[in-house]
Amino acid sequence: TEYLVFEPSSPCHGQSHLTSIFSPVLFIMLCLFIPFHWYRELHKVEGLLNPRIAADKDGAAMKARDKDVRLAHHRFLWQGYSGPFWYFDVVDISRRTLLIGILPLVGGRGLPRAAAGLLLSF
């Protein structure tokens, strides 16, 4: 049976060590790029997502928005939110990604990690 053994003679200044440092950072950047891309795509069609019709008492503009085929491929991002809050799901996904991706990297246990988690949870 083989076990993982700590080897103090391993060099920590080589290329493999740099890769192990930058891999989590690149992974987090990739995970944050996806919500950023969604926000950019939704921002392009903001006028369709947030119809600003003052006389719309019966919600006809929002019903028309729900049936618009130009917005069909983004519907999963904004379907649960009313007009001016179309971006909220992207913000929530970014916050969750930071909470899951950054919190384990915060050094130590206890107060620093708890404080970082509390700040990211809002």
Side-chain angles (χ1 to χ4, degrees):
T1 308
E2 293 184 27
Y3 296 97
L4 183 61
V5 177
F6 174 69
E7 179 60 46
S9 65
S10 301
C12 292
H13 301 290
Q15 184 68 22
S16 63
H17 181 69
L18 288 176
T19 304
S20 67
I21 291 173
F22 290 116
S23 295
V25 173
L26 292 176
F27 179 73
I28 292 169
M29 287 175 57
L30 175 66
C31 290
L32 289 176
F33 172 76
I34 294 169
F36 176 73
H37 175 70
W38 285 342
Y39 178 79
R40 278 188 7 188
E41 289 295 314
L42 289 176
H43 195 270
K44 289 178 187 176
V45 292
E46 179 184 4
L48 300 172
L49 289 170
N50 187 16
R52 295 182 177 111
I53 299 173
D56 186 26
K57 301 286 185 206
D58 60 350
M62 290 303 200
K63 290 176 185 172
R65 174 189 82 158
D66 291 341
K67 295 178 182 176
D68 194 341
V69 295
R70 295 173 291 182
L71 301 173
H73 60 286
H74 295 125
R75 185 164 284 128
F76 71 99
L77 289 170
W78 54 263
Q79 189 171 18
Y81 304 101
S82 62
F85 303 106
W86 55 266
Y87 62 90
F88 188 73
D89 204 34
V90 175
V91 171
D92 191 41
I93 291 169
S94 301
R95 181 188 62 84
R96 290 179 187 191
T97 302
L98 285 172
L99 190 62
I100 292 170
I102 298 292
L103 197 57
L105 300 178
V106 173
R109 295 184 185 258
L111 189 60
R113 187 174 285 188
L118 184 64
L119 288 174
L120 288 173
S121 67
F122 291 111

